[in-house]
Amino acid sequence: MSTSTTDDHRSDEAAALDIDGVTVIGRPSDVEIISGISLSVPRGRILGLVGESGSGKTTLGLALLAHCKRATEITAGSIRIGTTDLLAGTAAEVRALRGRGVAYIPQSPASALNPALRLRTQLREALFESDDAAARVREVLREVALPDDDAFLDRYPHQLSGGQQQRVAIAMAFIGRPDLIVLDEPTTGLDVTTQAHVLATIRSMTRTYGTAGVYISHDMAVVADLADEIAVMYQGEVVERGPGSRLLSAPEHPYTMQLLRAVPLLKTDGGDHPADEAKTPVLTVRGLEAGYGRTNVLKDIDIEVAPGDCVALLGESGSGKTTLSRSIVGLHHQFGGEVVFDGAQLAPSSYRRTAEQRRRVQYIFQNPYEALNPRKRVRDLILQPYAHLTGGKVADPDSVVATALERAALPAAYGERFPEQLSGGERQRVCIARAIATKPDLLICDEITSALDVSVQAEIVELLRNLQNDGMALLFVTHNIALVSNIAQYVAILNSGRIVEYGPVGTVLSDPQHEYTRALIADTPDFELTFADSPMHKSIRAAEKEHTAVEGGTKRPE
Amino acid sequence: MIRLIINRLFFGLVTLFAVSLIVFLATQALPGDAASAILGRDATPERLTALREQLNLGDPVAVQYGKWLLAALTLDFGTSFASGYPVAEYLAPRLSNSLWLMAFAAIIGTPLALALGSFSAMRRDRGVDHATSMVTLVLASLPEFVVGIVLILIFSTGWLSLFPPIFAGGSGAVWQYPGQLVLPVLTLVIAVSPPIIRMMRASMIEVLESEYVQQARLKGLPEKTVIRRHAAPNAIGPVAQVIALQLAWLAGGVVAIEYLFRFPGIGLALMDAIDARDIPLIQAVVLLIAGVYIVVNLLADIVGLAANPKVRVSAK
């Protein structure tokens, strides 16, 4: 299988990974999941592999360890780790190379660490030479900035935080000093501060060991920060590949441009200033305190949302932002304080609110894969709450469904589909359609883009902006600060149950007063620094500004 | 964790109390005269009076129950009508025989079922897996006495004649006659195993698809280690409840099997007692079976809790 190209690579630079024409097909349909991919990564370098879900990037990542998910198969190509061809080897040879030649860092360490085994067992078994295994385990734990004492090694995965779990997964991958490391979206489930720590760890580890890395992600911003070279995958093929700086400043393939455009940029330069005129708020929260049993989660929460405004609730996991939004909508009723909606006090439990109040406050859930009943058609999903909240019979169900779908930018024909026939982005649109079908005045969006790709996220944000222009009030819960600067007029920054900073987005982000806000901004990947100044992006921004100016002129004559 | 166990134990006792109430009401406190119902055609005025006295039928129902329960707490279930022995004395050797039978079935059946289920899961969608699925489905749908009869037909009659069709026993404990135990134990194993096999297969398939098993494979661990260390312990957790249900079922399941093989245990004693309308004996056996049921479930709960590191660690 050895061709002249692989020899060339070896002569100029020792390639840690060299793959040629790798094709993976699915059984029994024989569809090519990835087709004819050729890449090489030199030692000590990181290749960013970017693409949306379904582009085959995880399939490729697993193929690098000669592993195939169920019902898939590598049918062609060669994968060389150092000088060994992985696909030509026997099962035993492949096994010997895993962990030592090539290691894998999974997307969600919470499910990739065995819940029933202590960290000691899981770390040690990754090491084959047993001479000084204990010492090596401690060494690698220190390198990822985790405690190396016995008490820590005796812990189970559930006793660690998400960031610690991911660092254990990193330690587990580096423990055998591999030549190549495959990282499959290792920071997706983490908040920005933890993500910044984990990325720094990965960077320093690859430098220390001279390990080559393949970093898989759908988020251009993270990759731009970390990778030396970037390959863009689309529908199972690498459509563009080049040094990071070149790819960001002068992308060639239209899909690459689309991906770059989708990344929300953190605007710290003032941003949109909300209109000065005082509007009557539709929702006023005063002195809200909430908790679970005896544990207090939220304290002294004051928030106001006016019609046509978007208030972002920004905080990391565990800050209480979901508890707050659930309290407002009446799903969580162990709270005290005032929630006033349109002049009337709302009862804590949604059961005690009137149908009219419930109709006017709608909620969109974080995960569209779990928020839709898989046995109902889209049409019924939209009509059921509508019929219930507007009191009985629906005069013209077809037009209700069609209007709702249209406002969520979906074709009316989607009404006949089942959720499983929709993509993640389309599912979330259906959730939005279901919420806006009842014509609410306040929409609470709980991390509604966090389960979606960056490119889909941009479309959803655009959709929300249009709703907002129609006068709907939004409470947008998120952990993504860049997203806040793109959609909201006001931001409330939530840290361990308290609002530490509250004000217009432009003011808060350009001149943060609280140190927590400053830390959040500092930890967000500096995508703007590498990309925002590029000629391509400047032209996009200019076009966007023009566009919004025209739109604003026509839409708001008053 | 101690707290959880005490909690479960408490609920076990409450259940047992409820069972005792139902047993008492169903056997002794039904409308009409229990004594003449029991004696039927054998009723003579003297025997009726004697029986009424023994069962405290002259007292109000609540008092009858109280007296009966207090006596039961000291293992005094009265005297068996049919044999004339005190019930406790009569049942003790039979209980130990039944427990032996159940223990053999459990010790052989559970590991076998777990292994078969895992094996089936590891060969998912292949011939072995399909065959196992079919056979367990068929066996699960057959009542245990049918299985027993088929086994007798195959192994005890005709040209095979390997094992005796009934348990003749002898003077020693039951385990001293392994040849005679084979068929009853085998029948119970076949009756108990199918749900465990199917559950273990489903659970194992889920675990084998999990990311931590994939991660273990990607670490380069040998398949044997992946299965033994990573997959199996996590797969058994959800199956524990099914095992408990099945083993608890054994307590009731032995009744038909013991009757079929004439095995001298509590099941056979219960059948004979029902024939003879031997009320004290029936009450005692039913309470015993309920007790075994509750204890086995409690044990399964404790094992399940202890196997879950989250519960175990948080209890420290």
Side-chain angles (χ1 to χ4, degrees), chain A residues 62 67 69-70 95 98 104 111-117 122 125-126 128 156 158-159 172, chain B residues 124-125 209 211-212 214-215 217-223 225 229-230 234 309-310 312-313:
Chain A
L62 289 174
H67 180 80
K69 290 233 173 201
R70 213 180 138 67
R95 204 186 306 130
R98 286 180 183 165
Y104 184 80
S111 49
L113 295 176
N114 191 326
L117 293 179
Q122 302 198 50
E125 68 179 4
F128 296 89
Y156 290 95
H158 75 270
Q159 295 171 298
M172 206 187 279
Chain B
R124 183 180 172 189
D125 291 341
E209 297 277 299
E211 283 184 38
Y212 55 81
Q214 172 179 303
Q215 187 66 21
R217 288 189 173 135
L218 292 181
K219 276 199 249 177
L221 298 180
E223 193 63 18
T225 314
R229 189 182 294 166
H230 288 267
N234 283 298
K310 276 189 197 178
R312 196 169 59 214
V313 172

Side-chain angles (χ1 to χ4, degrees), chain A residues 77-97:
Chain A
S78 71
I79 296 169
R80 287 178 168 279
I81 307 288
T83 52
T84 327
D85 189 338
L86 214 52
L87 299 184
T90 63
E93 283 166 6
V94 168
R95 204 186 306 130
L97 210 59

Side-chain angles (χ1 to χ4, degrees), chain A residues 58 71 112 115 149 172 194 256 273 295 330 333 383 392 397 400 459 484-485 488-489 524 535 551 558:
Chain A
T58 295
D149 52 301
M172 206 187 279
T194 321
T256 314
H273 275 286
T295 326
H333 49 80
L383 278 178
V400 169
E459 294 164 17
V484 168
S485 69
Q489 283 78 45
T524 305
E551 233 180 31
E558 63 268 69

Side-chain angles (χ1 to χ4, degrees), chain A residues 105-119:
Chain A
I105 298 180
Q107 175 165 13
S108 88
S111 49
L113 295 176
N114 191 326
L117 293 179
R118 294 178 194 278
L119 299 183

Side-chain angles (χ1 to χ4, degrees), chain A residues 297-298 313 315-325 494-497:
Chain A
V297 180
L298 292 167
L313 209 56
E316 303 193 337
S317 40
S319 62
K321 54 191 192 305
T322 294
T323 307
L324 176 53
S325 49
L494 208 59
N495 184 17
S496 35

Side-chain angles (χ1 to χ4, degrees), chain B:
Chain B
M1 196 169 99
I2 304 289
R3 211 139 138 244
L4 275 168
I5 292 174
I6 290 174
N7 198 13
R8 299 278 152 97
L9 199 60
F10 171 74
F11 279 111
L13 285 176
V14 171
T15 315
L16 200 56
F17 175 75
V19 170
S20 76
L21 195 62
I22 291 168
V23 168
F24 176 81
L25 290 176
T27 51
Q28 199 166 324
L30 286 175
D33 183 26
S36 45
I38 292 164
L39 291 175
R41 252 180 285 163
D42 303 333
T44 60
E46 300 83 52
R47 295 186 68 181
L48 276 175
T49 324
L51 188 57
R52 283 194 189 116
E53 190 141 325
Q54 192 192 335
L55 296 178
N56 304 309
L57 287 183
D59 298 330
V61 176
V63 177
Q64 287 179 40
Y65 175 67
K67 282 184 177 166
W68 176 74
L69 188 66
L70 280 178
L73 283 179
T74 58
L75 293 183
D76 174 15
F77 290 96
T79 309
S80 162
F81 299 158
S83 64
Y85 288 110
V87 170
E89 202 178 300
Y90 177 80
L91 277 182
R94 286 171 174 75
L95 178 64
S96 111
N97 287 350
S98 283
L99 288 178
W100 275 113
L101 185 61
M102 285 158 63
F104 280 127
I107 290 166
I108 295 170
T110 315
L112 198 70
L114 292 178
L116 257 175
S118 309
F119 187 73
S120 194
M122 282 151 62
R123 275 160 193 66
R124 183 180 172 189
D125 291 341
R126 293 205 225 150
V128 182
D129 181 31
H130 290 306
T132 315
S133 281
M134 276 297 294
V135 172
T136 51
L137 191 63
V138 169
L139 290 181
S141 58
L142 286 177
E144 64 275 16
F145 59 86
V146 175
V147 174
I149 290 168
V150 171
L151 287 180
I152 290 176
L153 286 177
I154 296 175
F155 292 109
S156 307
T157 59
W159 49 272
L160 261 179
S161 293
L162 283 173
F163 307 108
I166 58 162
F167 188 91
S171 52
V174 284
W175 46 267
Q176 288 170 341
Y177 311 96
Q180 301 186 25
L181 270 178
V182 169
L183 284 186
V185 169
L186 188 61
T187 311
L188 280 178
V189 166
I190 290 177
V192 161
S193 299
I196 303 179
I197 295 176
R198 295 175 75 80
M199 187 66 196
M200 185 62 188
R201 175 183 177 272
S203 174
M204 192 70 172
I205 280 177
E206 202 183 313
V207 169
L208 285 177
E209 297 277 299
S210 77
E211 283 184 38
Y212 55 81
V213 166
Q214 172 179 303
Q215 187 66 21
R217 288 189 173 135
L218 292 181
K219 276 199 249 177
L221 298 180
E223 193 63 18
K224 224 198 287 177
T225 314
V226 172
I227 299 292
R228 280 199 201 148
R229 189 182 294 166
H230 288 267
N234 283 298
I236 288 176
V239 185
Q241 287 299 323
V242 176
I243 296 176
L245 273 179
Q246 289 304 106
L247 295 190
W249 171 87
L250 267 180
V254 288
V255 175
I257 299 304
E258 288 182 1
Y259 187 70
L260 182 66
F261 290 98
R262 302 301 303 168
F263 183 89
I266 51 167
L268 192 59
L270 179 65
M271 298 303 276
D272 290 344
I274 291 171
D275 265 352
R277 297 183 194 162
D278 196 344
I279 295 252
L281 200 53
I282 295 176
Q283 290 170 335
V285 173
V286 173
L287 268 186
L288 261 179
I289 290 177
V292 171
Y293 204 93
I294 289 164
V295 168
V296 170
N297 268 310
L298 183 72
L299 284 178
D301 275 353
I302 293 172
V303 169
L305 288 175
N308 184 342
K310 276 189 197 178
V311 180
R312 196 169 59 214
V313 172
S314 67
K316 272 182 189 169

